[in-house]
Amino acid sequence: MKATLKEQIRRLQKDGEYKFEGLTREESRKAAEKLAAATMRDDRKNGIDSRFGIARDVFGYYSAVQIND
């Protein structure tokens, strides 16, 4: 079952990382960029200043991650 964008945002906010399944490397990069941006927008709506970005694993697949300074 594929998670909706809202479910993905909540999981990224809670866990600090969201890994995609069943996507190509390029699709995972685009999805991670989209999810990171959507999560930051959602946080800003709630008055939270957060930073999310993308990370690549050793196999070339991307995930959305929380960036901590």
Side-chain angles (χ1 to χ4, degrees), residues 4 11-12 15 18 21 23-25 28 36 38-41 45 54 57 60 65-66 69:
T4 66
R11 200 158 113 208
L12 177 55
D15 299 340
Y18 186 90
E21 297 177 7
L23 300 179
T24 66
R25 288 172 178 90
S28 71
T39 304
M40 286 188 293
R41 277 193 306 274
K45 281 192 312 189
I54 65 172
D57 67 15
V65 295
Q66 184 175 15
D69 293 349

Side-chain angles (χ1 to χ4, degrees), residues 1-68:
M1 183 171 143
K2 197 170 187 177
T4 66
L5 181 60
K6 192 167 196 111
E7 292 168 335
Q8 291 173 346
I9 289 171
R10 296 296 174 237
R11 200 158 113 208
L12 177 55
Q13 289 169 327
K14 180 180 178 247
D15 299 340
E17 181 177 25
Y18 186 90
K19 292 184 179 188
F20 298 91
E21 297 177 7
L23 300 179
T24 66
R25 288 172 178 90
E26 185 63 24
E27 289 171 337
S28 71
R29 183 184 64 77
K30 290 177 182 178
E33 289 172 347
K34 179 181 173 183
L35 178 57
T39 304
M40 286 188 293
R41 277 193 306 274
D42 186 69
D43 279 353
R44 270 188 238 115
K45 281 192 312 189
N46 296 312
I48 301 168
D49 185 29
S50 63
R51 292 182 51 202
F52 292 90
I54 65 172
R56 189 173 79 178
D57 67 15
V58 296
F59 303 107
Y61 292 93
Y62 292 84
S63 59
V65 295
Q66 184 175 15
I67 300 171
N68 295 318

